[in-house]
Amino acid sequence: GSKKKEEERRNEQRRKQRIAREKAESERKEKEAKQKIAKLPKDSYTWKLNRKTCTKLSNESGTYFKSPTVIMRGFKWYLEFYPNYKQEGESAFFLCLCHMPKELSSIKINYQLSVSETQTLSDVYTAEFNREQGWGWT
């Protein structure tokens, strides 16, 4: 009886220690990856919306155009442009992350969108991206 309970207690302690080590290692890897990203130079991408450089799609928010995928700051991104977002008479742009690397739970970026044809420029946004989460500007 008591030997079995002692064995179970030790096994539970080992399991908790293993989980703590795995969590610490995961946090270390995420911190390391974020530090590498922070050291990368700033990037910019210009998307000229035409039939050759986009795909026309639609969803519950309306018809939209999807840009080609581009690699910036070590991540794959694409833009979505809705000429009539949610049929409300306003256009909207969204910056979308293709996928989150497994060693990261999220990334925080500063970004700005502009439309040269209308000479409009968004504010600089700070956004935290999780898995398949886009951020936009209307």
Side-chain angles (χ1 to χ4, degrees):
S2 71
K3 283 187 179 184
K4 187 173 183 176
K5 282 186 180 182
E6 181 62 26
E7 176 88 17
E8 287 174 359
R9 188 184 66 74
R10 274 186 267 162
N11 285 340
E12 181 63 16
Q13 270 186 321
R14 286 186 201 113
R15 187 184 70 78
K16 286 180 180 178
Q17 288 171 344
R18 180 181 43 82
I19 289 170
R21 279 193 310 270
E22 289 171 357
K23 183 180 178 191
E25 179 65 13
S26 175
E27 289 171 354
R28 185 192 64 74
K29 284 183 179 179
E30 182 166 354
K31 183 179 178 184
E32 195 174 273
K34 285 182 178 181
Q35 286 173 341
K36 285 180 185 176
I37 292 163
K39 292 178 184 175
L40 292 172
K42 290 184 178 181
D43 288 318
S44 69
Y45 171 63
T46 302
W47 175 30
K48 298 210 182 278
L49 191 75
N50 63 47
R51 292 174 201 247
K52 293 178 185 176
T53 65
C54 66
T55 305
K56 186 176 180 179
L57 303 162
S58 64
N59 62 23
E60 65 279 354
S61 296
T63 299
Y64 68 99
F65 299 91
K66 182 178 175 183
S67 76
T69 300
V70 61
I71 297 173
M72 291 191 302
R73 301 201 52 89
F75 296 92
K76 290 183 180 180
W77 306 88
Y78 62 92
L79 294 169
E80 290 179 351
F81 171 64
Y82 291 79
N84 188 13
Y85 186 62
K86 295 186 177 180
Q87 283 61 51
E88 295 175 354
E90 289 192 2
S91 58
F93 273 97
F94 291 91
L95 174 64
C96 304
L97 178 63
C98 292
H99 69 278
M100 182 71 60
K102 65 182 178 194
E103 63 271 10
L104 297 177
S105 58
S106 66
I107 59 167
K108 190 180 276 189
I109 66 163
N110 296 322
Y111 74 98
Q112 187 172 41
L113 300 172
S114 67
V115 179
S116 59
E117 290 81 2
T118 59
Q119 297 180 352
T120 52
L121 183 65
S122 76
D123 292 331
V124 175
Y125 294 104
T126 298
E128 187 165 353
F129 284 80
N130 299 309
R131 311 228 179 267
E132 281 294 325
Q133 185 173 350
W135 289 91
W137 171 49
T138 57

